[in-house]
């Protein structure tokens, strides 16, 4: 298993901060006095802590209300030594040959610490802000062509003629070493074939294990048809404490800090999303109109409270270090090898997981000592 953390480039707080998938970062954070802006100094603290605690990489999101992932992470390569950066980007917003060149440059300057998270985009309103007016299925078709050109350019010169791109002699000055691994998520019928054909790691959001298992079987079948084998990862939040009562008390505190008006507003905005994955996240807390934190426990130690005001990944592992480790192992038994985690605040929660759950997994022999 490989563990990654998250860089909150929408800002951070002791409350849940919204942002992403059409949500303004204001959803969920109660007052400016507790809001931590995404400065390089603060993000550097998180990155250095993640590196120290043994996380392999940090995911950096993309979207209107995030700082630019390429620029932020390039700066953070200068204050870290080994940490890798899983940079999210949207393929329709730049030339595929330029993306190949940017990745190759990044690998050389960082010493090979770039991973790429391909985000096709599931929110039409946000896509239009960037001048992208394609339908959802057309965006996935464009992603297919885009990734063909990126990989071709790394081994170029490469010619390609398709519906969305027409390039001649695409290439980079020097092949990146190593070639960045591609991460990709998508739950729609149009997303699966793109993953099967191009990516190294298929990412899913933290649905209950039975739903995750079905999704992984779907992708495995598609990948087998392409004579490929993919790795699988999962995107989750986490609240791990010395005891279960302490963890659920923290979940309750986070829930109490959420304004009901923000929940209703987020529900309306996210309900318009074209993302199948987002709709599946919304369904996990459908009908919740207030109550206790445990009312949102959708599977033992899996909590849907984060998704009330945050777009994208909306579930959290909640419990004692041992209980969280149990659920990690359950997901691993399905074939999940990579865990991309986060928590509020991201600095403190990295330590709770890194000093609590990771040692427990090492004690069990799941991770090397």
């Amino acid at each position: 298993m490989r563990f990654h953390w998250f860089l909150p480039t929408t800002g951070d707080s002791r409350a849940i901060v919204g942002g992403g998938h059409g949500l303004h970062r204001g959803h969920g954070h109660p007052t400016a006095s507790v809001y931590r802006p995404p400065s390089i100094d603060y993000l550097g603290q998180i990155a250095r802590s993640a590196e120290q605690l043994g996380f392999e990489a940090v995911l950096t999101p993309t979207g209107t209300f995030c700082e630019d992932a390429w620029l932020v992470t390039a700066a953070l390569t200068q204050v870290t030594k080994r940490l890798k950066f899983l940079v999210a980007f949207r393929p329709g917003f730049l030339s595929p040959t330029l993306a190949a060149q940017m990745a190759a440059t990044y690998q050389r300057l960082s010493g090979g610490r770039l991973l790429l998270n391909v985000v096709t985009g599931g929110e039409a309103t946000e896509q239009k802000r960037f001048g992208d007016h394609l339908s959802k299925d057309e965006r996935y078709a464009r992603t297919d062509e885009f990734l063909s050109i990126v990989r071709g350019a790394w081994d170029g010169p490469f010619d390609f003629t398709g519906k969305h791109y027409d390039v001649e002699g695409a290439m980079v000055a020097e092949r990146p070493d190593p070639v960045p691994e591609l991460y990709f998520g998508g739950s729609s019928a149009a997303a699966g074939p793109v993953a099967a054909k191009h990516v190294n790691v298929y990412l899913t959001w933290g649905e209950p294990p039975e739903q995750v298992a079905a999704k992984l079987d779907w992708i495995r079948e598609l990948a087998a048809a392409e004579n490929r084998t993919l790795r699988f990862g999962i995107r989750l939040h986490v609240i791990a404490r010395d005891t279960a009562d302490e963890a659920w008390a923290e979940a309750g505190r986070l829930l109490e800090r959420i304004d009901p008006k923000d929940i209703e507003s987020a529900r309306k905005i996210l309900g318009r999303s074209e993302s199948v994955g987002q709709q599946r996240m919304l369904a996990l807390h459908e009908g919740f109109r207030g109550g206790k934190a445990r009312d949102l426990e959708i599977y033992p130690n899996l909590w849907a409270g984060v998704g009330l005001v945050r777009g994208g990944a909306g579930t959290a592992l909640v419990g004692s270090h041992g209980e969280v480790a149990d659920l990690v192992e359950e997901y691993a038994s399905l074939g999940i090898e990579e865990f991309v985690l986060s928590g509020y605040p991201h600095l403190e929660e990295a330590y709770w997981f890194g000093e609590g759950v990771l040692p427990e997994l090492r004690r069990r022999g799941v991770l090397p000592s």
Side-chain angles (χ1 to χ4, degrees):
M1 289 186 284
R2 301 161 71 178
F3 290 90
H4 314 299
W5 199 244
F6 185 82
L7 281 178
T9 57
T10 56
D12 204 1
S13 175
R14 292 184 178 275
I16 298 171
V17 178
H21 295 264
L23 284 183
H24 189 278
R25 66 178 70 176
H27 282 88
H29 89 73
T31 63
S33 63
V34 300
Y35 178 68
R36 301 178 186 177
S39 67
I40 284 295
D41 284 344
Y42 181 61
L43 296 176
Q45 276 186 282
I46 296 172
R48 288 189 296 271
S49 296
E51 182 173 71
Q52 172 192 335
L53 291 164
F55 292 97
E56 181 172 337
V58 286
L59 171 64
T60 310
T62 184
T64 300
F65 303 112
C66 307
E67 300 296 347
D68 180 77
W70 291 95
L71 293 175
V72 167
T73 59
L76 293 178
T77 62
Q78 302 305 295
V79 298
T80 53
K81 297 178 180 178
R82 300 175 304 279
L83 189 70
K84 296 179 182 178
F85 294 93
L86 179 50
V87 174
F89 75 101
R90 295 186 175 173
F93 296 170
L94 73 166
S95 151
T97 308
L98 176 60
Q101 183 184 47
M102 291 167 63
T105 299
Y106 197 116
Q107 285 297 62
R108 283 191 291 276
L109 296 182
S110 69
R113 293 195 279 154
L114 175 67
L115 306 169
L116 291 173
N117 182 32
V118 181
V119 180
T120 297
E123 175 53 59
T125 301
E126 184 164 35
Q127 296 294 123
K128 290 174 183 177
R129 291 189 188 115
F130 293 87
D132 182 13
H133 296 267
L134 295 184
S135 69
K136 177 182 173 181
D137 286 355
E138 287 175 323
R139 292 197 295 270
Y140 278 112
R142 179 179 60 193
T143 297
D144 183 8
E145 293 186 11
F146 184 99
L147 294 178
S148 294
I149 296 168
V150 168
R151 288 198 179 277
W154 286 334
D155 293 314
F158 179 75
D159 297 335
F160 182 91
T161 301
K163 180 180 178 180
H164 301 282
Y165 297 105
D166 184 352
V167 301
E168 298 180 9
M171 60 185 297
V172 296
E174 183 179 335
R175 190 174 192 267
D177 183 22
V179 171
E181 292 191 315
L182 300 179
Y183 290 64
F184 175 94
S187 300
S188 70
V194 178
K197 183 177 178 181
H198 293 287
V199 308
N200 303 100
V201 181
Y202 176 81
L203 287 174
T204 180
W205 287 334
E207 298 170 13
E210 183 178 359
Q211 295 179 34
V212 170
K215 188 181 292 187
L216 268 53
D217 286 343
W218 168 56
I219 296 295
R220 285 192 187 99
E221 184 176 346
L222 292 173
E226 297 285 346
N227 294 315
R228 299 186 71 237
T229 301
L230 276 59
R231 301 199 311 277
F232 296 103
I234 193 166
R235 174 77 182 92
L236 288 156
H237 306 276
V238 62
I239 304 172
R241 294 294 186 271
D242 295 335
T243 68
D245 286 345
E246 290 175 295
W248 284 107
E250 177 61 17
R253 190 192 64 78
L254 288 174
L255 185 60
E256 289 171 1
R257 301 290 293 274
I258 299 175
D259 189 328
K261 293 180 181 178
D262 278 343
I263 296 176
E264 191 58 35
S265 175
R267 184 177 286 117
K268 290 178 180 178
I269 294 171
L270 296 174
R272 297 193 294 266
S273 173
E274 298 174 319
S275 166
V276 172
Q278 183 62 73
Q279 297 310 313
R280 291 169 73 142
M281 284 286 104
L282 287 174
L284 296 177
H285 54 73
E286 186 175 359
F288 180 80
R289 293 297 184 273
K292 298 179 180 179
R294 295 298 284 255
D295 294 338
L296 287 163
E297 187 179 15
I298 56 174
Y299 186 82
N301 302 109
L302 185 65
W303 187 59
V306 177
L308 291 172
V309 290
R310 185 194 189 280
T315 54
L317 307 174
V318 180
S320 67
H321 302 308
E323 288 172 334
V324 170
D326 288 342
L327 193 48
V328 165
E329 288 199 80
E330 184 172 355
Y331 280 119
S333 72
L334 305 178
I336 297 292
E337 298 179 49
E338 307 205 17
F339 293 80
V340 184
L341 305 172
S342 56
Y344 296 96
H346 288 73
L347 181 62
E348 289 92 325
E349 289 297 336
Y351 278 94
W352 278 112
F353 188 88
E355 295 180 342
V357 181
L358 290 182
E360 173 63 17
L361 292 170
R362 294 188 186 102
R363 187 189 66 78
R364 298 180 184 190
V366 177
L367 292 179
S369 299

